[in-house]
Amino acid sequence: MDRRSLILDAARRLTLERGVVPSLNDVAATAGVSKGGLVHHFPSRAALVQGLAVAALEEVDAAMVTAAAEGRAAEAWVRLSVPTGDDVPLFRAMAIAHRAVEAPGDDVATAAQEAIARWEGMIQHETGDTVRARVIRLVGDGLAANVIAGIEPAPTAEHLDALLAVLLPGPDGTPR
């Protein structure tokens, strides 16, 4: 694992343990790198938060590309949108930290907008319907937001299956 990845892994683990994005000093110590080594890759806490966010976008992007190649982008999006287990506190902490350090022209916001457009395009290609693709993407966004905000627990696999049956009807137009 390269140094940048070690740093991001340490930041992710500490964020999960503490529920907040840690200080640069704590990340450097946990990653086993000097503060200068960390600052070379992430010159500020804001840059570290952005690094964590970009890494999360890259993980979802890889999963969506794989799913699209298998003809299941819509299903993958809905399932990937539901944070579970350790992801819930991680995403809560990142959302709080990101809002606290975000600056106009934020590169993460641009990367997220581009990724969302790409993922929605994959869903549209699969469904053949621009409006359905947008609805599916927004349903996923809503599920994620509700879980991260603590409004409701992550839906069960059965609930997701029921949502997908409505969102992705069978060839005859009836729920699958």
Side-chain angles (χ1 to χ4, degrees):
M1 187 180 287
D2 68 355
R3 188 165 296 194
R4 186 175 195 284
S5 297
L6 282 172
I7 293 167
L8 286 172
D9 182 61
R12 182 183 176 117
R13 283 186 284 120
L14 288 172
T15 301
L16 287 170
E17 289 171 12
R18 299 176 182 179
V20 296
V21 176
S23 71
L24 295 182
N25 288 333
D26 287 347
V27 174
T30 301
V33 300
S34 68
K35 175 97 180 257
L38 182 141
V39 172
H40 172 73
H41 295 284
F42 303 101
S44 66
R45 189 163 178 256
L48 181 62
V49 170
Q50 290 177 355
L52 287 168
V54 168
L57 285 172
E58 289 170 350
E59 287 178 28
V60 173
D61 202 50
M64 285 298 292
V65 167
T66 298
E70 297 169 354
R72 51 180 202 81
E75 177 182 354
W77 174 252
V78 171
R79 294 192 190 282
L80 287 168
S81 295
V82 179
T84 57
D86 288 345
D87 286 343
V88 176
L90 175 69
F91 285 111
R92 281 182 184 150
M94 284 177 45
I96 291 165
H98 187 72
R99 295 307 311 163
V101 299
E102 184 178 30
D106 185 298
D107 292 340
V108 174
T110 300
Q113 290 166 347
E114 291 169 357
I116 287 168
R118 194 168 47 253
W119 302 333
E120 193 171 309
M122 292 174 192
I123 297 167
Q124 189 274 325
H125 179 76
E126 178 182 313
T127 62
D129 185 332
T130 303
V131 173
R132 183 177 305 276
R134 183 146 183 89
V135 168
I136 290 167
R137 205 261 303 157
L138 291 172
V139 166
D141 290 354
L143 290 169
N146 285 344
V147 173
I148 291 168
I151 294 169
E152 61 183 39
T156 64
E158 294 79 20
H159 183 203
L160 290 177
D161 290 344
L163 282 172
L164 288 164
V166 172
L167 293 169
L168 300 170
D172 61 355
T174 61
R176 57 183 183 131

